[in-house]
């Protein structure tokens, strides 16, 4: 189920589901948890070279797991998930699976020790492992991911990306592997007490978002275009949070898990109670490489079916 309109979310805001009660938990530091599945071994921790942090960096996740992976791809007999070369699919660089992401979205992806860590990095490592490919993660602006996938620079866009009809015209989405919710973050003393306040007649708030995310798209439609306020677009969610902290924006609309991570890091902020409206996260892939799509999608389906994906998510997100 996808959110078409933020309105639906906002109008439902009095349905109180307490999100503040679950504070404190997951994002920080949990990336180094011990994992039980060998498919994930070393995916985030030992894999990339010391490429430092910053945008447009390419961390080569060529840890030992990639070297051990040569036979594991054959497992998916009729799934189309063959071993790397000459098995019916091609990738942008032979033998590699290049993942485009925006590592500013904990706990799905963030930079830790010069590497991209998080749920998506681990899922991609497990997919690469199954396909006998070496994972490389390219960190870029969120709104560059679709282009990278479309242009064949990356094989897979994995970034907590919500499936939307507009994006489906640009890329093919795999099965969904997780869900997210758009939530509203305010300062503790904010006069915005319910999301309805943002949509009330005469409202005039400044809303911070990460550029080109669904939070941007919904608020642009429902608030800016409706003449109920303005949207300040930031290249990272954390920058929108800083703008909130310093009073440049009145609230931030962003996905619930990064929201929890950011609020846990910064004093004086809270997440408004909202109804849970679910968005589907999926991997974005090039429409013109159906063989690779089939292989990746089949591998992901297997990883969902055997509990690997849930195991990865559970390492980072504490059940509520
Ligand atoms: N789910 C939202 C969207 O697809 C936000 C995703 C942002 N992801 C990121 N890695 N910055 O638009």
């Amino acid at each position: 189920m996808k959110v078409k309109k933020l309105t639906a979310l906002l109008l439902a805001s009095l349905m109180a589901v307490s999100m503040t009660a679950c504070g404190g938990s997951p994002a920080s530091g949990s990336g180094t948890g011990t994992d039980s599945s060998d498919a994930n071994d070393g995916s985030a921790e030992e894999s990339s070279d010391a490429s430092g942090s910053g945008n447009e960096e390419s961390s080569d996740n060529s840890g030992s797991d990639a070297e051990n992976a040569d036979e594991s791809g054959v497992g998916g007999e009729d799934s189309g998930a063959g071993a790397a070369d000459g098995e019916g699919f091609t990738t942008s660089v032979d033998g590699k699976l290049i993942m485009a992401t925006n590592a500013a979205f904990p706990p799905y992806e963030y930079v830790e020790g010069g590497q991209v860590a998080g749920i998506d990095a681990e899922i991609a490592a497990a997919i690469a492992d199954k396909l006998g490919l070496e994972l490389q993660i390219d960190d870029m602006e969120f709104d560059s991911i679709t282009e990278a996938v479309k242009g064949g620079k990356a094989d897979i866009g994995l970034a907590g990306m919500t499936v939307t009809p507009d994006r489906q015209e640009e890329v093919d989405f795999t099965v969904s592997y997780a869900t997210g919710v758009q939530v509203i973050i305010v300062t503790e003393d904010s006069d915005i007490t319910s999301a309805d306040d943002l949509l009330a007649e005469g409202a005039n708030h400044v809303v911070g978002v990460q550029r080109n995310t669904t939070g941007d798209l919904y608020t642009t439609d429902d608030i800016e275009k409706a003449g109920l306020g303005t949207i300040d677009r930031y290249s990272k969610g954390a920058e929108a949070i800083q703008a909130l902290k310093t009073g440049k924006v009145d609230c931030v609309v962003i996905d619930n898990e990064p929201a929890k991570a950011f609020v846990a890091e910064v004093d004086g902020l809270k997440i408004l109670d909202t109804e849970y409206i679910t968005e589907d996260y999926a991997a974005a892939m090039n429409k013109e490489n159906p063989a690779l799509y089939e292989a990746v999608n089949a591998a992901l389906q297997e990883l969902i079916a055997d509990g690997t994906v849930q195991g990865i998510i559970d390492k980072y997100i504490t059940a509520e």
Side-chain angles (χ1 to χ4, degrees), residues 102 105 109 142 159-162 167 210 212-214 255 281:
N102 169 247
F105 196 72
E109 44 265 330
F142 181 73
M161 191 183 286
T162 303
R167 291 174 184 166
Q210 186 182 14
N212 250 348
T213 60
T214 46
D255 303 48
Y281 292 171

Side-chain angles (χ1 to χ4, degrees), residues 275-307:
E275 187 194 22
Y276 275 73
I277 296 176
T278 308
E279 297 182 298
D280 293 322
Y281 292 171
M285 298 195 61
N286 191 307
K287 281 183 181 293
E288 275 145 38
N289 193 346
L292 181 62
Y293 174 87
E294 289 305 329
V296 167
N297 198 44
L300 181 56
Q301 278 172 318
E302 288 171 19
L303 292 164
I304 292 169
D306 72 9

Side-chain angles (χ1 to χ4, degrees), residues 193-273:
T193 56
S194 87
D196 296 335
D197 293 344
L198 295 179
L199 290 181
E201 209 181 319
N204 189 16
H205 295 105
V206 184
V207 180
V209 296
Q210 186 182 14
R211 184 173 298 108
N212 250 348
T213 60
T214 46
D216 180 5
L217 306 177
Y218 302 148
T219 56
T220 297
D221 275 358
D222 296 339
I223 294 174
E224 193 165 73
K225 288 185 182 162
L228 296 174
T230 53
I231 313 304
D232 272 7
R233 299 171 181 86
Y234 296 87
S235 94
K236 293 187 168 76
E239 291 167 4
I241 295 293
Q242 280 313 315
L244 176 61
K245 189 67 189 162
T246 56
K248 284 195 195 124
V249 302
D250 299 312
C251 67
V252 170
V253 174
I254 197 163
D255 303 48
N256 57 333
E257 289 302 333
K260 283 194 257 175
F262 294 140
V263 166
E265 298 276 308
V266 179
D267 285 344
L269 303 182
K270 65 180 179 186
I271 299 170
L272 291 183
D273 294 344

Side-chain angles (χ1 to χ4, degrees), residues 2 7 19 23 45 121 134 143 188 209 239 292 301 317:
K2 294 178 288 287
T7 317
M19 300 200 53
E45 293 84 26
E134 175 191 327
D143 54 9
E188 264 160 13
V209 296
E239 291 167 4
L292 181 62
Q301 278 172 318
I317 299 175

